[in-house]
Amino acid sequence: MAPPPPSPSMAPPGLIHSAPGLIDTCALPLPPAAVTAAAATASMSSPAAETPSAIQICRIMRPDDANVAGNVHGGTILKMIEEAGAIISTRHCNSQNGERCVAALARVERTDFLSPMCIGEVAHVSAEITYTSKHSVEVQVNVMSENILTGTKKLTNKATLWYVPLSLKNVDKVLEVPPVVYSRQEQEEEGRKRYEAQKLERMETKWRNGDIVQPALNPEPNTVSYSQSSLIHLVGPSDCTLHGFVHGGVTMKLMDEVAGIVAARHCKTNIVTASVDAINFHDKIRKGYVITISGRMTFTSNKSMEIEVLVDADPVVDNSQKRYRAASAFFTYVSLSQEGKSLPVPQLVPETEDEKKRFEEGKGRYLQMKAKRQGQAEPQA
């Protein structure tokens, strides 16, 4: 089934901006309306100038962006999504006279991988601000893949991210966000509902912050212990923002890598990211900290796997602070044959009471999302 067309509100803007560190950045032809957009951007030397409502970054996918089968890692795409969101939200939060700030990622809503992206294709990442509260910015991002040999384009990802502006002078100070102008009154009301919903969900995830992934000796195949994996990473300057805190995109890329290892160990086949449930960033991670990213299988259906990923930060050179939970999320993977066709997934065997409880919770999330998709697929009268 062909992927749905991108929303008109997310149509590629006339002016193309590139993110720092992105290679092979290309500029797309400007549409007739781009004259106005270009003029607006040219006037941005003034702090109070109006900022564009949308941006786009693009780059070609290279072999080190993909797995052995040539499919681009989900973490690579998540990192590009976060970079685009950080650019537009930081730009917006500094669009008026006042204290300078950098937008920090607080949460990523559920992200579906609608179509795979391959080596040699160009990723077009479009970001648009859709709502602002007093202290947060909602950014919607679309990702299109382009085959530059045939000109074929596909919608591969849609994501919603939430950012908060942190002062450059005091990283613990959250600044106020300049308001946006809505074309319809309903847009503001709908945005406020999304804001309240994500705020509630963030509170509900905090009770899991005490969970840890324990190693096991000689685990049996298809058990949680057999495939669980961890990765330890020392946070360096290249991982961080101007504040000296880890970019959200860097954290998400590492989380996807660990989830992919868990899925591959369980299936022993080629695997790809199918979706990511809401990623919550509970606390900032400083430069020089050691982070441990742990993943464990929580649920399997006939053709998909749910993996919980937990990120713990350890301030090894700071005795005044203890190890803490920095981020958490659920990733869904599917198993593919060498021809790229979906394969059955070996069924997970939960052993302990906690594993059985997590399995039932994962089953509930799976059935809920399945029902939601079926409801969206039903034709409207």
Side-chain angles (χ1 to χ4, degrees), residues 264-283:
R265 281 179 167 172
H266 183 78
C267 290
K268 308 294 185 183
T269 63
N270 177 36
I271 47 85
V272 294
T273 314
S275 66
V276 184
D277 209 346
I279 303 177
N280 290 290
F281 293 84
H282 308 295
D283 207 339

Side-chain angles (χ1 to χ4, degrees), residues 239-318:
D239 298 323
C240 297
T241 66
L242 297 175
H243 278 126
F245 294 103
V246 177
H247 282 287
V250 171
T251 305
M252 291 193 292
K253 190 173 187 296
L254 293 171
M255 294 172 78
D256 180 72
E257 287 179 6
V258 171
I261 293 171
V262 174
R265 281 179 167 172
H266 183 78
C267 290
K268 308 294 185 183
T269 63
N270 177 36
I271 47 85
V272 294
T273 314
S275 66
V276 184
D277 209 346
I279 303 177
N280 290 290
F281 293 84
H282 308 295
D283 207 339
K284 299 183 289 291
I285 305 172
R286 291 182 180 271
K287 179 174 62 178
Y289 281 19
V290 172
I291 55 175
T292 302
I293 305 96
S294 304
R296 60 187 173 197
M297 191 82 64
T298 51
F299 172 75
T300 54
S301 65
N302 290 333
K303 293 189 176 182
S304 67
M305 302 159 276
E306 182 190 72
I307 297 122
E308 183 179 28
V309 181
L310 308 172
V311 180
D312 295 314
D314 190 359
V316 289
V317 295
D318 183 2

Side-chain angles (χ1 to χ4, degrees), residues 106-330:
R107 175 180 166 90
V108 181
E109 302 289 0
R110 180 181 175 87
T111 304
D112 289 310
F113 290 74
L114 307 174
S115 179
M117 193 180 300
C118 302
I119 296 173
E121 293 185 330
V122 173
H124 299 272
V125 186
S126 303
E128 179 184 28
I129 293 176
T130 50
Y131 176 75
T132 58
S133 68
K134 185 177 181 180
H135 295 293
S136 64
V137 182
E138 181 192 52
V139 179
Q140 291 192 2
V141 181
N142 277 358
V143 182
M144 303 282 293
S145 66
E146 177 191 8
N147 185 318
I148 55 178
L149 300 179
T150 65
T152 303
K153 291 185 178 181
K154 296 183 295 183
L155 179 67
T156 62
N157 298 82
K158 298 178 73 174
T160 301
L161 303 89
W162 292 89
Y163 289 83
V164 293
L166 302 180
S167 169
L168 286 176
K169 297 179 180 179
N170 179 5
V171 295
D172 294 321
K173 180 182 179 182
V174 179
L175 302 180
E176 291 191 11
V177 176
V180 294
V181 178
Y182 302 97
S183 58
R184 294 180 296 107
Q185 181 64 31
E186 293 81 4
Q187 289 179 321
E188 184 174 8
E189 294 298 327
E190 292 167 358
R192 185 178 292 109
K193 290 179 181 178
R194 294 192 299 271
Y195 168 75
E196 294 297 337
Q198 66 85 25
K199 188 176 179 180
L200 180 61
E201 289 180 13
R202 278 179 59 80
M203 296 298 295
E204 291 176 347
T205 60
K206 289 187 176 181
W207 69 272
R208 300 184 67 94
N209 284 0
D211 286 5
I212 57 175
V213 178
Q214 297 283 7
L217 296 175
N218 302 319
E220 294 293 327
N222 300 336
T223 61
V224 174
S225 300
Y226 184 81
S227 59
Q228 69 182 29
S229 305
S230 295
L231 182 153
I232 299 175
H233 179 76
L234 174 63
V235 177
S238 62
D239 298 323
C240 297
T241 66
L242 297 175
H243 278 126
F245 294 103
V246 177
H247 282 287
V250 171
T251 305
M252 291 193 292
K253 190 173 187 296
L254 293 171
M255 294 172 78
D256 180 72
E257 287 179 6
V258 171
I261 293 171
V262 174
R265 281 179 167 172
H266 183 78
C267 290
K268 308 294 185 183
T269 63
N270 177 36
I271 47 85
V272 294
T273 314
S275 66
V276 184
D277 209 346
I279 303 177
N280 290 290
F281 293 84
H282 308 295
D283 207 339
K284 299 183 289 291
I285 305 172
R286 291 182 180 271
K287 179 174 62 178
Y289 281 19
V290 172
I291 55 175
T292 302
I293 305 96
S294 304
R296 60 187 173 197
M297 191 82 64
T298 51
F299 172 75
T300 54
S301 65
N302 290 333
K303 293 189 176 182
S304 67
M305 302 159 276
E306 182 190 72
I307 297 122
E308 183 179 28
V309 181
L310 308 172
V311 180
D312 295 314
D314 190 359
V316 289
V317 295
D318 183 2
N319 294 328
S320 64
Q321 190 172 5
K322 297 181 179 180
R323 179 184 174 114
Y324 62 92
R325 178 63 41 78
S328 59
F330 290 96

Side-chain angles (χ1 to χ4, degrees), residues 65-79:
D65 294 318
N67 61 19
V68 292
N71 301 121
V72 174
H73 290 296
T76 299
I77 298 173
L78 289 171
K79 189 170 184 288

